[in-house]
Amino acid sequence: MQQVDIPRTQTRDIVDALKARIFSGELRPGTRLIETELARDFDVGRGPVREAFRVLVGEGHLQSHAHRGVLVRRYTREELLEMGCAREVLESLAARLAAEKTLTEEERSALRASQDRMNVAEAEQDLDTYSRENRNYHTLIETIADNAHVADLIERVRVPYLGLRLPQLFAVDQLRQSNEGHRLVTYAILAGAADVAEAAMRSHIRAGNAHTAQLPDELF
Amino acid sequence: MQQVDIPRTQTRDIVDALKARIFSGELRPGTRLIETELARDFDVGRGPVREAFRVLVGEGHLQSHAHRGVLVRRYTREELLEMGCAREVLESLAARLAAEKTLTEEERSALRASQDRMNVAEAEQDLDTYSRENRNYHTLIETIADNAHVADLIERVRVPYLGLRLPQLFAVDQLRQSNEGHRLVTYAILAGAADVAEAAMRSHIRAGNAHTAQLPDELF
DNA sequence: GCAGATATTATTGTTGACAATAAAGTAGTT
DNA sequence: AACTACTTTATTGTCAACAATAATATCTGC
């Protein structure tokens, strides 16, 4: 479940470091990144920094304007909804694929364990944990679905930066409703009911999108 | 319908040139690309070439191994099927979105014109033209669907390199069947029948995937 | 002749200096 | 004060030389 040989290179290090900073919220959307500064910070030349930028632009985490540098990607509400639309079909595809497969015993228990953790977080109304476990849950389903390309595409329509602030906007009844959706998906996959899994996941994601649509303007 | 200001930069030029060579089949999958050679060919330094590589790796056209350079991406049959799976849901989503929209008169006639061109190619059994028009057709639907993210994702699960050889493998009755699918999609979109458009596109793509599954081994 | 160690070579990884560009600032005119 | 033309500055784009790595060829001892 782990690739062994990833020769470290400066570009790779910078890519990972920047990605971590973006995901953690340390680098806010719209922040401009200056090659020289980062080169100094990381104590490397500008070449590797530039290449890291190109990688991150490719992954959609940065946006670049020629001769004007790069900045941490901003999402408009419209973009988020466009992405949600794609996520809906992709994640429900993943759920279907997972349900269609004959699961190994490890996969079954991993799925149950993940669901349990979310249940606990729900019961304790621990929004932070729930948010983290939610992400793990979806990743787990992608892993089980065993389709690297689909997983890759889903990764592209996930929004990283709201991660830290979204929990605070998550009301408790939304949490219950969200986990209700998860349980449906979980049991459908365990039961091998592909159609149910797909449909359940679709409406689960759709509910999330409806939530995004109502986010206050100041978040964009 | 056209963005105006794209400041040309060497990296951009190289990216475009390489992409063209890959799509045209001039650069075959598995071909190793050497920075120095390309730098000489394009008469530039190695920096821009390296950055272009990173962009193309990000777009999935090249694959890179640290310290061992990049090569034109190879697809295994399994990968192609994985991608087809994702394409299925994404393209049918695009068809649905297109059908749900109230089309402008331009969009309606563009769609009819595209369908007409494919009909002609079908009648004349011009596989080459049909293949090209087929691609344009799908792109047109994405444009009409008006969801940049979905279009972007579809671009990622399209296989460029078989473009030139696939026509030769395309039997005439497959061509007829393929265009039959297009007609269904076209009329469904024009009629605003979202469900039909989605379902028709889905089975259209699925038929294509079934075809890929049966490609001879020597193509991989 | 062959396995292993050692040198050679081709190629990528990295850097610091220079050129080109766009933005910010300044002066001069009305 | 507002407008333009020019100058300055910050930053990106580019290059050519050097360092590090992996693949290849050569040598050595058996």
Side-chain angles (χ1 to χ4, degrees), chain A residues 97-129:
Chain A
L97 292 174
E100 279 171 351
K101 236 184 54 170
T102 4
L103 304 181
T104 67
E105 203 44 58
E106 277 118 15
E107 288 169 333
R108 300 184 74 85
S109 58
L111 194 55
R112 282 199 211 91
S114 176
Q115 182 65 65
D116 282 348
R117 285 195 299 276
M118 291 193 295
N119 291 346
V120 171
E122 181 197 357
E124 296 177 353
Q125 302 202 353
D126 181 349
L127 292 167
D128 213 52
T129 307

Side-chain angles (χ1 to χ4, degrees), chain B residues 16-17 43 69 72 97 111 114 126 131 142 155 163 180 182 210:
Chain B
D16 293 345
D43 195 41
V72 179
L97 292 174
L111 193 55
S114 177
D126 182 348
S131 172
E142 289 163 36
E155 206 53 49
E180 205 68 66
H182 286 153

